[in-house]
Amino acid sequence: MATNNQINIINGILANQPGNLNFLSPLGFRFTLRRSPTVNFFATDANIPSFELGYATVPSPFSNIHIPGDKPQWGSFRLTFKVDEDFVNYFEIYNWMVKLGFPNNFGQYAALASAAPGTGQGTVSDGTLTILNSSMHPNVEVIFRDMFPVSISDANFTTTDTTVDYVTATVEFKYTYLTFNKL
């Protein structure tokens, strides 16, 4: 017969079990970026960026001591999408980047900067990566604040493939910060 102490240990072990034993599937996600609706539709790959917190090193006579820092840094958000045959989604990103860099005249950037706030047509736009659970229902939102594209990949063509692998492009975004919302 089990003692009270043994029963308490068993109950403690059972209480520490996770409530959800399902693994996270890489197939279940949606991305929305108000400024680029066709990129959203054709998205095939996305990432939750890395997160780093700086630290300070305090010297001591024995070994250096590390203490938490105060400047968080998020990695880049990358989104891969299938390019539609009219290049609409590719040009959404490309034209945004051209206007941010104003390679021909200052008016290109001015058009972005003068867009009304909240329209999603200015220099930056908020984005949301919605992670779906095993039943394909929204589970977690990753909200990116003030996103803007910093690079877009090549769009490669070849006549040597024996199957049709549709053209994809990857866009890399920087942003101010991100937050997580459990749905």
Side-chain angles (χ1 to χ4, degrees):
M1 180 159 190
T3 65
N4 284 340
N5 192 29
Q6 291 170 326
I7 292 173
N8 287 338
I9 291 172
I10 292 170
N11 286 336
I13 291 171
L14 293 176
N16 287 328
Q17 299 300 311
N20 183 349
L21 298 177
N22 294 324
F23 296 118
L24 181 60
S25 169
L27 303 176
F29 77 93
R30 286 190 307 243
F31 180 71
T32 54
L33 181 64
R34 187 172 189 179
R35 190 174 204 335
S36 301
T38 58
V39 169
N40 302 339
F41 182 80
F42 291 101
T44 61
D45 296 276
N47 71 308
I48 296 176
S50 62
F51 178 73
E52 293 183 28
L53 181 63
Y55 61 91
T57 302
V58 179
S60 86
F62 304 107
S63 66
N64 291 336
I65 300 168
H66 302 291
I67 58 173
D70 63 350
K71 293 200 178 187
Q73 184 160 338
W74 290 272
S76 296
F77 174 69
R78 288 174 308 284
L79 183 75
T80 300
F81 59 95
K82 291 191 185 296
V83 178
D84 67 276
E85 67 180 12
D86 291 332
F87 274 82
V88 172
N89 54 8
Y90 190 90
F91 290 149
E92 283 177 349
I93 301 298
Y94 177 82
N95 291 332
W96 185 7
M97 291 177 67
V98 166
K99 290 175 183 176
L100 283 172
F102 51 89
N104 298 319
N105 61 64
F106 293 115
Q108 291 171 303
Y109 182 81
L112 287 179
S114 65
T119 62
Q121 298 303 310
T123 57
V124 296
S125 183
D126 291 347
T128 303
L129 178 65
T130 304
I131 310 299
L132 308 177
N133 64 16
S134 57
S135 300
M136 293 301 188
H137 297 294
N139 192 24
V140 174
E141 283 182 334
V142 184
I143 300 171
F144 299 90
R145 300 293 180 199
D146 302 332
M147 298 180 82
F148 60 95
V150 294
S151 72
I152 190 165
S153 70
D154 304 342
N156 296 314
F157 300 88
T158 181
T159 60
T160 60
D161 283 346
T162 57
T163 61
V164 178
D165 291 327
Y166 294 102
V167 174
T168 63
T170 300
V171 59
E172 180 179 342
F173 290 95
K174 293 294 186 183
Y175 49 92
T176 306
Y177 66 95
L178 64 83
T179 56
F180 290 90
N181 289 334
K182 179 76 171 102
L183 302 176

